[in-house]
Amino acid sequence: METIGQILKNAREKKGLSIEELEASTHIVARFIKALENEEFDVLPGEIYVKGFIKNLSDKLSLDAEMVLERYNLQKNGANSEQNLLKNQKNQKKVKEPVVSNKEEIKENTANKEAAVDKDNIKNISNEKAVKNNEEKTIKETNKKNRNINLNNNAETDLLFMAKRDLNKLRRNNNRSIMPNIIVVLAVIVVIAVIVVNRNNILGLFSRNKRQNRNDVEIARNIVDSKAKQNVKVGDIIYFKPLGISATIKFNTIGNVLHININGQDLSFSKSSPIILDLNGNGINDFRISVIEVYDDLATVEMEKLEENQMVNTGYSNEIQTPDINNELYNTNTISTNLLVINGETYIEQDTEKVDIRIEITAKHFVYVRYFIDSNRPATTNLLSGKTLYLEAKDVVMLTIGNAGEVVVKVNGKTINVGASGETVNKTVKWVKNLNDSTRYNLIMSDTK
């Protein structure tokens, strides 16, 4: 039967994926994927993360996540059961050895007594009774020794022995009533037995209370690296202070949407919508925090100080400007209505020479924008009310705009309607060759597929 590591590795190789490709698609660190395939569970951060990794990888590799998790539980529990069996066998061997020696002692004593009786030719019945009494005494002493051995190895029996001893003391006390004392002792025995039987649960209750008290305490961490991943829970505080920026981040709630407070400002974000801010106040976004994964009441987040090429990735203009409040962009009547639309594709330019694509995105209210320019890396920004983002590309621009109805978008000077208020849209603006003349192009905006 395949082990959990073999199942995941065979499924990955069957799909032709490398560990690095699997890391990029699942956001699970490569060394954790290797540890799972090699079944090095002690390298992984914890049981909850192991199960989360297995479920995520199973979904990505088209495996039945429930069956893979069940296989993992069976494999892990099987190893524990084998270890427990070995320990029980060792303990049984240790307990049985003294019993064997006691039996030999009984046989030896009995043999000695029988030899003494034979030597004296069983002179009289009283001697025979004496021998018998001595044998019984020896057996009783041996049994007593065995009981003492068992008592040392059994906490419950030890407690019962003490309770019986106390009962005998109470009986010898003639100044007290026997019945109430018996009731008291029995009650003590019951309480002790309950405590002994449930000692693991009681100890677990105290340890859970301690863990809960620790979880209720806010944990503060100082981070000076420019990029860092952290596992967080509700109440945690992170001081992110790489050179040049400073952010105090408190995690208020964790779920599909995380609610946090950054430098006194309440914000929310999710896996699909990171937060991008200008922390040093120079008008350029220099900080990003995003969600990598969420596990019940825990989350893995990534904080990053944006480098200069990540702040605004464009050769047209790297400035976010504030337009005049009376600018025509704020007049919804200026949105173009005479553009040709075929099968959901809007033709911005038709049968023309290819030039640079220039896009202006102006925010009426706070909006989130993510964009790809040609083959460059993606970049993100949060536009405040009245701010304009300028982008320039040679062939293609891919946009994701949150709250699309609250932006005014111009492409090569033409105002385009991209969506409604509260709607998140994904658009692609690109040059496409004219079917009738390969030297001419059409500039088209369509939904990103």
Side-chain angles (χ1 to χ4, degrees):
M1 183 180 291
E2 287 185 320
T3 64
I4 186 68
Q6 292 171 343
I7 292 173
L8 295 175
K9 184 176 182 181
N10 291 341
R12 173 178 63 77
E13 292 177 347
K14 185 176 181 181
K15 283 186 171 287
L17 297 174
S18 66
I19 290 180
E20 289 73 19
E21 291 172 334
L22 199 56
E23 176 187 26
S25 60
T26 62
H27 302 291
I28 299 176
V29 181
R31 64 187 180 91
F32 289 162
I33 298 176
K34 291 179 181 178
L36 277 172
E37 291 187 355
N38 296 331
E39 300 180 13
E40 298 172 348
F41 300 118
D42 56 340
V43 176
L44 298 169
E47 185 72 10
I48 186 173
Y49 290 96
V50 173
K51 292 184 177 180
F53 293 160
I54 291 175
K55 185 179 185 304
N56 198 347
L57 290 171
S58 299
D59 293 339
K60 190 64 182 178
L61 297 174
S62 302
L63 297 172
D64 189 329
E66 295 298 329
M67 292 184 65
V68 176
L69 284 172
E70 182 179 355
R71 177 64 190 131
Y72 165 74
N73 291 329
L74 288 174
Q75 180 176 333
K76 185 170 182 181
N77 292 335
N80 292 335
S81 298
E82 184 176 352
Q83 293 177 359
N84 292 335
L85 180 60
L86 292 175
K87 290 181 180 179
N88 291 334
Q89 290 175 348
K90 291 180 180 179
N91 292 333
Q92 290 175 0
K93 185 176 181 182
K94 291 180 180 179
V95 173
K96 289 179 179 179
E97 286 177 353
V99 176
V100 172
S101 63
N102 290 332
K103 288 182 178 179
E104 292 176 353
E105 182 180 351
I106 294 172
K107 291 180 180 179
E108 183 178 355
N109 291 333
T110 305
N112 291 334
K113 295 301 179 181
E114 290 176 352
V117 172
D118 292 336
K119 187 175 180 180
D120 295 333
N121 297 318
I122 312 177
K123 294 181 179 181
N124 50 50
I125 296 174
S126 61
N127 289 337
E128 185 178 39
K129 290 182 178 180
V131 171
K132 186 175 181 180
N133 291 334
N134 288 333
E135 288 177 353
E136 291 177 353
K137 183 178 180 181
T138 302
I139 293 172
K140 289 181 180 180
E141 290 176 354
T142 303
N143 291 334
K144 185 176 181 180
K145 291 180 180 178
N146 289 336
R147 283 198 300 272
N148 290 335
I149 292 172
N150 292 330
L151 287 173
N152 289 332
N153 295 316
N154 192 320
E156 289 85 353
T157 307
D158 190 32
L159 291 171
L160 291 173
F161 173 78
M162 292 191 312
K164 289 179 179 179
R165 182 188 63 192
D166 294 337
L167 181 59
N168 291 330
K169 290 181 180 179
L170 290 172
R171 285 176 177 173
R172 287 194 296 269
N173 190 347
N174 296 325
N175 296 328
R176 296 182 180 180
S177 174
I178 295 176
M179 187 58 67
N181 291 334
I182 294 175
I183 295 174
V184 171
V185 173
L186 290 175
V188 171
I189 293 173
V190 171
V191 171
I192 293 174
V194 170
I195 293 175
V196 170
V197 172
N198 297 281
R199 60 184 178 275
N200 293 332
N201 294 333
I202 294 173
L203 293 174
L205 178 62
F206 283 109
S207 62
R208 282 197 298 272
N209 289 336
K210 290 180 180 179
R211 286 196 299 269
Q212 184 177 1
N213 291 335
R214 284 199 301 270
N215 290 338
D216 292 339
V217 176
E218 295 179 350
I219 299 177
R221 306 171 211 166
N222 292 302
I223 298 175
V224 296
D225 296 333
S226 297
K227 187 175 182 179
K229 290 182 181 179
Q230 290 288 306
N231 297 323
V232 296
K233 63 181 184 309
V234 174
D236 283 1
I237 298 176
I238 293 179
Y239 300 100
F240 185 68
K241 296 182 178 180
L243 185 63
I245 62 174
S246 176
T248 300
I249 309 165
K250 181 175 181 180
F251 294 83
N252 296 325
T253 63
I254 290 177
N256 292 330
V257 177
L258 277 71
H259 298 278
I260 63 176
N261 183 286
I262 300 180
N263 292 350
Q265 182 180 3
D266 290 326
L267 299 169
S268 60
F269 65 116
S270 62
K271 291 179 68 173
S272 60
S273 300
I275 292 175
I276 300 177
L277 295 174
D278 171 19
L279 293 180
N280 60 16
N282 63 356
I284 300 177
N285 294 320
D286 49 26
F287 169 76
R288 173 171 57 208
I289 182 170
S290 54
V291 180
I292 303 301
E293 197 58 78
V294 177
Y295 306 99
D296 298 329
D297 58 346
L298 299 174
T300 301
V301 299
E302 182 178 71
M303 294 151 291
E304 181 179 7
K305 175 188 174 183
L306 298 179
E307 302 299 332
E308 184 176 354
N309 64 334
Q310 293 175 296
M311 294 177 184
V312 177
N313 190 6
T314 174
Y316 174 37
S317 173
N318 61 354
E319 297 181 356
I320 299 176
Q321 302 178 353
T322 304
D324 187 347
I325 195 66
N326 295 320
N327 193 304
E328 65 175 0
L329 294 178
Y330 284 90
N331 184 352
T332 57
N333 293 328
T334 64
I335 295 177
S336 300
T337 58
N338 58 349
L339 297 178
L340 178 63
V341 179
I342 301 177
N343 294 331
E345 296 181 338
T346 302
Y347 285 72
I348 302 169
E349 300 283 352
Q350 300 180 60
D351 194 24
T352 183
E353 294 181 355
K354 184 178 178 182
V355 296
D356 289 344
I357 302 173
R358 296 191 174 192
I359 299 177
E360 302 174 19
I361 303 174
T362 302
K364 299 178 184 179
H365 298 287
F366 177 86
V367 294
Y368 162 80
V369 180
R370 180 178 177 87
Y371 53 91
F372 293 79
I373 296 177
D374 294 326
S375 59
N376 294 327
R377 294 179 58 187
T380 57
T381 185
N382 291 326
L383 287 180
L384 301 178
S385 177
K387 296 289 185 178
T388 300
L389 173 66
Y390 296 90
L391 305 175
E392 182 178 297
K394 295 294 184 183
D395 298 301
V396 60
V397 177
M398 298 175 66
L399 296 170
T400 297
I401 304 175
N403 201 12
E406 299 300 330
V407 296
V408 177
V409 178
K410 274 190 174 183
V411 180
N412 287 7
K414 295 184 179 179
T415 305
I416 310 297
N417 184 7
V418 294
S421 295
E423 180 183 9
T424 298
V425 298
N426 297 289
K427 299 291 183 179
T428 298
V429 180
K430 63 181 179 180
W431 284 108
V432 179
K433 286 184 178 180
N434 193 322
L435 295 177
N436 297 323
D437 186 352
S438 61
T439 63
R440 310 289 285 181
Y441 290 83
N442 297 324
L443 183 59
I444 298 173
M445 182 181 73
S446 61
D447 292 333
T448 302
K449 298 179 181 179

